[in-house]
Amino acid sequence: MKQLATIALWFVCSMATAQNFTLRGNVNTNDYDGLAIRLVKLHPADRSLNTIVDSARIENGHFRFSFPVETPFLASLALPTKDNYHFYGLPETMCIAEPGNVAISYSASDPYSVTLSGGKLNNDYDATILSRDREVRLKLKTMMETRNAQEQTTPYSPEQEQAYGDSLRSLYASMCPAYHDFIARNISNDVGATLFFYHQNDFPETLYKSLKAKVRSDYAACHDSIMKAKELARHMEDSIRSATHNGARYADFTSLTPDGKSVALSDLLKPRRVLLLDFWASWCGPCRMEIPEIKKLYEKYHDKGFDVVSVSLDTKRESWTKALEAEQMPWPQLSTLEGFKSKSAQAYAVHAIPFVVLISGDGIMLQVNIHGQLLEKAIEEALIRQ
């Protein structure tokens, strides 16, 4: 009985502290009807801890969220991707989940321009930041229209290009005081802390240090730990990249075939032959577009001593095997389904794909990340030397 009483008391206290947050949205178009928009709670210091709170279906251009909130937090609103690399036209935007009724409206002419109303923090966010953002977007639209009109007859000169670029940078920089103002007033709460770390590079050093001292200590410690880890990773990547250049010794690694067999890169490297190591993924459009070109090179030079091995940076087996079936690549395929965290990608400091390395039969990297005619020329020259 005592335990039940304790649980009941906790439930009553929780209900007393949590108040309902209701968000009504209007996207001002029926183009997204039937899609589910997601509301994600943004962690103040660690983006990997962002969590999906709820999703709502868009109907007749409107959506609605309603759930209890104990402490206000910054949230993002976004549609899922169409597939792995295509997006819908409705951009990701932000609002503040706080007790009360809030409304968000996307401009029909410019969905990046939004208006928030209702709730103390949301009203302040709109008045301070979003109002300035709307002004900047209107000025940007005018600048672009003026430029497009002039270039119908006369292209911009280098001096005009420079002036245009300077104006753009000045326009975007004009947003900083609005963020500084809002964040400074809210630095001690989760909303201000989240925006502070999201925009940390936009603060003068003195202001940054002053505001950081006011952030919750556990958030500051979490942020510092992440930044130290990133710095260490950069040093490690620089070290690997310094060894990943023309003339350096190749880096061996072990991966898996589609049927689960363990294979080392050294197993596929043959004397007096040339090997192209190709990093790709099923979701990578440019990678898929490059596969037919690699096929042509393989057909043309394989009998002369040219081999290929592809390493997928997919994380889902079904996506990988489906792409293999569609592409029908006649050379070895490897993947541990760990994406960019795989030992193969880390061995060559791969952070963007497609990424290729041309390796001689004796294990020397001949060319790193070249494509098209340059790659074919390098293959021809390498085969002559073998």
Side-chain angles (χ1 to χ4, degrees):
M1 291 295 293
K2 184 177 181 180
Q3 184 179 14
L4 289 175
T6 301
I7 293 173
L9 179 61
W10 172 85
F11 180 77
V12 170
C13 291
S14 297
M15 292 298 292
T17 56
Q19 300 179 56
N20 215 53
F21 161 69
T22 299
L23 174 68
R24 289 180 172 82
N26 182 3
V27 299
N28 280 297
T29 177
N30 293 333
D31 292 349
Y32 309 107
D33 282 4
L35 299 176
I37 190 168
R38 295 179 295 191
L39 188 146
V40 178
K41 181 178 182 179
L42 304 178
H43 188 276
D46 187 350
R47 298 186 188 186
S48 70
L49 297 179
N50 292 351
T51 54
I52 299 175
V53 176
D54 200 0
S55 63
R57 190 170 298 278
I58 301 175
E59 297 179 353
N60 297 318
H62 292 78
F63 61 86
R64 180 180 180 274
F65 290 97
S66 185
F67 52 84
V69 172
E70 292 186 19
T71 303
F73 61 84
L74 191 67
S76 74
L77 296 165
L79 292 173
T81 56
K82 287 184 178 180
D83 48 44
N84 285 317
Y85 49 90
H86 289 105
F87 295 85
Y88 291 101
L90 192 70
E92 179 180 3
T93 190
M94 292 183 182
C95 71
I96 299 167
E98 62 175 325
N101 297 314
V102 176
I104 184 169
S105 178
Y106 298 71
S107 169
S109 60
D110 178 9
Y112 284 88
S113 181
V114 299
T115 301
L116 281 168
S117 60
K120 180 180 178 181
L121 288 172
N122 279 286
N123 282 332
D124 188 11
Y125 183 70
D126 186 88
T128 307
I129 294 177
L130 294 185
S131 62
R132 179 58 187 158
D133 181 73
R134 292 190 291 268
E135 292 174 4
V136 167
R137 297 196 65 80
L138 284 174
K139 291 180 180 178
L140 178 61
K141 181 182 179 182
T142 300
M143 287 173 58
M144 294 177 66
E145 289 175 347
T146 300
R147 174 176 179 159
N148 290 337
Q150 178 176 329
E151 291 200 322
Q152 293 296 318
T153 55
T154 307
Y156 262 28
S157 67
E159 293 77 17
Q160 287 175 308
E161 288 282 4
Q162 179 65 43
Y164 184 78
D166 290 343
S167 296
L168 285 179
R169 285 185 286 273
S170 176
L171 198 56
Y172 289 127
S174 70
M175 284 294 303
C176 289
Y179 278 100
H180 296 170
D181 186 21
F182 182 84
I183 291 170
R185 291 199 305 274
N186 292 279
I187 193 63
S188 59
N189 63 44
D190 285 10
V191 174
T194 307
L195 284 170
F196 173 67
F197 287 124
Y198 264 62
H199 296 274
Q200 60 181 321
N201 295 326
D202 297 332
F203 287 91
E205 184 177 359
T206 302
L207 180 58
Y208 175 83
K209 290 181 178 179
S210 172
L211 291 176
K212 188 181 177 185
K214 299 176 183 178
V215 175
R216 258 178 53 174
S217 59
D218 56 331
Y219 292 156
C222 177
H223 169 265
D224 289 346
S225 176
I226 291 171
M227 295 306 292
K228 288 179 181 178
K230 287 183 177 180
E231 184 63 24
L232 178 60
R234 278 195 292 269
H235 283 307
M236 292 178 64
E237 183 172 312
D238 288 343
S239 177
I240 294 172
R241 194 169 295 283
S242 67
T244 308
H245 58 81
N246 299 355
R249 182 78 183 166
Y250 85 109
D252 198 11
F253 60 82
T254 300
S255 191
L256 300 173
T257 62
D259 59 3
K261 180 183 178 182
S262 179
V263 177
L265 179 61
S266 53
D267 296 333
L268 304 171
L269 197 62
K270 306 299 181 183
R272 294 181 297 280
R273 295 187 69 85
V274 177
L275 177 69
L276 182 71
L277 175 60
D278 172 41
F279 289 93
W280 73 294
S282 66
W283 48 261
C284 171
C287 300
R288 301 288 290 268
M289 292 173 63
E290 193 170 66
I291 289 173
E293 301 305 315
I294 297 178
K295 276 187 176 181
K296 291 178 183 178
L297 295 175
Y298 185 81
E299 292 170 2
K300 185 175 182 179
Y301 296 105
H302 179 59
D303 291 341
K304 299 178 182 179
F306 175 62
D307 297 321
V308 181
V309 57
S310 289
V311 179
S312 170
L313 300 188
D314 277 287
T315 57
K316 297 180 180 179
R317 173 169 293 278
E318 183 180 0
S319 299
W320 179 38
T321 55
K322 185 177 180 180
L324 291 180
E325 183 178 351
E327 299 296 350
Q328 293 293 306
M329 293 174 277
W331 53 77
Q333 303 293 324
L334 302 174
S335 182
T336 55
L337 299 175
E338 297 173 292
F340 287 90
K341 296 181 181 179
S342 66
K343 291 182 179 178
S344 56
Q346 293 179 354
Y348 289 87
V350 180
H351 59 79
I353 49 179
F355 187 93
V356 299
V357 183
L358 191 64
I359 307 172
S360 69
D362 55 359
I364 301 300
M365 290 188 286
L366 304 174
Q367 294 288 343
V368 177
N369 214 24
I370 60 172
H371 306 271
Q373 293 182 350
L374 289 177
L375 176 59
E376 182 169 8
K377 182 179 179 182
I379 292 170
E380 291 177 343
E381 293 175 351
L383 289 173
I384 292 173
R385 293 195 297 266
Q386 292 300 308

